[in-house]
Amino acid sequence: MSFYRILSKIQPKRNLYAFTVGAAAGCTVGLCGWGGAQVIIPSMTLPASFANYSQLSATGIALSSLSVSTLSSGYRFWEKDRVHIPIVLAIGIPAVLSARVGSHVAKKLSGDALALFFNGFSIVLIPTHFYIQERAKGRQNEAASKEQEHDGDGIASSATSSIIHPLPWPQVAQHASFGICSGIISALMGVGGLPLTMSYITEATHLPHHYVQGTAVCALIPSILVSAASRIHAIPMQAAVSVALGAMVGGYGGAQMALGLTEEQLRTVYMTSLVVFGGRSTFGAARNIRNILQAKQGR
């Protein structure tokens, strides 16, 4: 009898939709380095029979399922030696501790307040991301010119040197301080801290973009797992499993595509994703503010 009861709860269309959403989100994370939550949360809160989850539940689904896609895409970058392990540890370990704080704060916020933070923070950061990527592009062009001037002199690039040598303690402290902030933000946004982490690593380390993306994804894995575990009570497991399976497939495929792109192509994909998701966040933030004001007027 219990077996038939379990079968009766299975919803093929809803699970197929969730799997498709997860695959799209995972591919986005693997290819762009971020955007998974921007795909999952609006898709799972859609007012339709196959979605219609609360903001808190959708954020929990995003955290739990994208922990799988970040693991699969992070493994792919690590396998191709595109991860700076010392930076991962310096950012990732403090982020685990602060993610618990962020999760407690998230539980106290209303759905619209949580959504407003998610959308508003994304909007504020977009100009910063563009500025940092333009600076990185300028540094890359300057480094290419210097390499041509010193061609054959056996001079290693600064990016390569930073990859090989261990981190000095002042840099460890700097990365750890950022890790504390990124853990809280990731818990509140549902993996929305990935673009922030990518911009930080780009500016602080001058690593090539493939290393930036691989390192950022791996650095946030611990805090994402902790945030997902803290919201286990609010996560609809059937939807989360379906999204996670899709995210695992999409994350590996997206990382594979990213590794096949040149430095300039990958940066272009990343900056395009900022425009696309930034526009969606602008409309979402306006809707959240309207809902919050209407709720206050109704009291």
Side-chain angles (χ1 to χ4, degrees), residues 16 35 41 61 83 121 147 154 170 180 192 201 223 261 270 272 282-283:
L16 179 60
I41 293 177
I61 292 172
V83 177
F121 200 80
E147 283 182 6
I180 293 172
I201 295 175
S223 60
L261 298 177
Y270 174 68
T272 302
T282 301
F283 289 108

Side-chain angles (χ1 to χ4, degrees), residues 137-151:
K137 186 177 179 180
R139 288 195 304 266
Q140 183 184 7
N141 294 335
E142 184 179 349
S145 300
K146 288 183 179 179
E147 283 182 6
Q148 289 179 354
E149 293 175 4
H150 300 288
D151 188 26

Side-chain angles (χ1 to χ4, degrees), residues 27 77 132 172 225-226 275:
C27 185
F77 279 106
I132 289 174
V172 172
L225 292 173
V226 169
V275 175

Side-chain angles (χ1 to χ4, degrees), residues 8 26 31 34 44-45 53 63 74 83 91 94 116 138 141 173 176 191-192 243 261 268 278 294:
S8 66
L31 180 60
W34 79 299
M44 300 309 287
T45 54
Y53 292 97
L63 284 166
V83 177
I91 294 176
L116 179 59
N141 294 335
V191 203
V243 174
L261 298 177
T268 300
Q294 288 177 349

Side-chain angles (χ1 to χ4, degrees), residues 253-279:
Q256 184 67 31
M257 285 189 285
L259 290 167
L261 298 177
T262 64
E263 183 86 2
E264 185 61 30
Q265 288 173 332
L266 192 61
R267 183 173 282 113
T268 300
V269 169
Y270 174 68
M271 294 178 75
T272 302
S273 71
L274 291 175
V275 175
V276 174
F277 292 124

